[in-house]
Amino acid sequence: MKTSNAYEDNEISEINMTPFVDIVLVVLVIFMATATFVAQGKIAISLPKATQHKEVSKPAKPIIITIDKEGALYFNDKKIEIKNLSTALQGSSDIASKTGVILRSDAKTEFEHVVKVIDTCKQNNISKFSIQTQEQNR
């Protein structure tokens, strides 16, 4: 005796639309996200002209003090004596107060030279320091 199932005899004539709707929504979201990046800066406009304009100043370069392994001192790549460092810092005090001082020292430099430079900077009211290092290869 053969039992027939109604589902086995009929062909499936309907398409499941749920996966199709999901794909369409994902494509729509991707399109909307990328369209905002593409549209920026693509509007052609003619800016009005002004008779007076102010130049935007570039950010000031920080002061770089370098000490080599013999203890020689360089202020922005120019050799300088430690006794003249205070005068050079006073002339650049506005830059140093904004950007600070980058201190570069050879690995073999005696620590005494570094301390003298830091003391001179602190005497000139410079308290922001960055010590430049090199990444160690592993």
Side-chain angles (χ1 to χ4, degrees), residues 53-104:
H53 66 280
K54 183 177 180 183
E55 291 283 330
V56 177
S57 62
K58 294 180 183 177
K61 285 185 170 182
I63 295 172
I64 300 174
I65 299 175
T66 308
I67 308 169
D68 66 8
K69 63 183 175 182
E70 285 86 28
L73 191 65
Y74 297 88
F75 185 84
N76 287 336
D77 297 329
K78 295 178 185 172
K79 193 167 185 174
I80 191 172
E81 296 293 324
I82 188 70
K83 60 185 176 187
N84 298 332
L85 180 61
S86 182
T87 308
L89 287 171
Q90 288 173 357
S92 303
S93 64
D94 56 333
I95 296 170
S97 64
K98 293 177 186 174
T99 62
V101 172
I102 296 176
L103 184 58
R104 300 173 61 213

Side-chain angles (χ1 to χ4, degrees), residues 30-57:
I30 292 172
F31 174 74
M32 289 173 54
T34 57
T36 59
F37 295 123
V38 173
Q40 290 179 355
K42 298 294 181 181
I43 301 171
I45 60 171
S46 176
L47 295 174
K49 306 250 186 295
T51 56
Q52 296 181 0
H53 66 280
K54 183 177 180 183
E55 291 283 330
V56 177
S57 62

Side-chain angles (χ1 to χ4, degrees), residues 116-134:
K116 285 181 183 178
V117 170
I118 291 174
D119 283 343
T120 305
C121 289
K122 286 187 176 183
Q123 289 171 358
N124 289 288
N125 298 322
I126 299 170
S127 58
K128 290 171 47 176
F129 294 98
S130 298
I131 298 176
Q132 188 173 15
T133 60
Q134 185 176 17

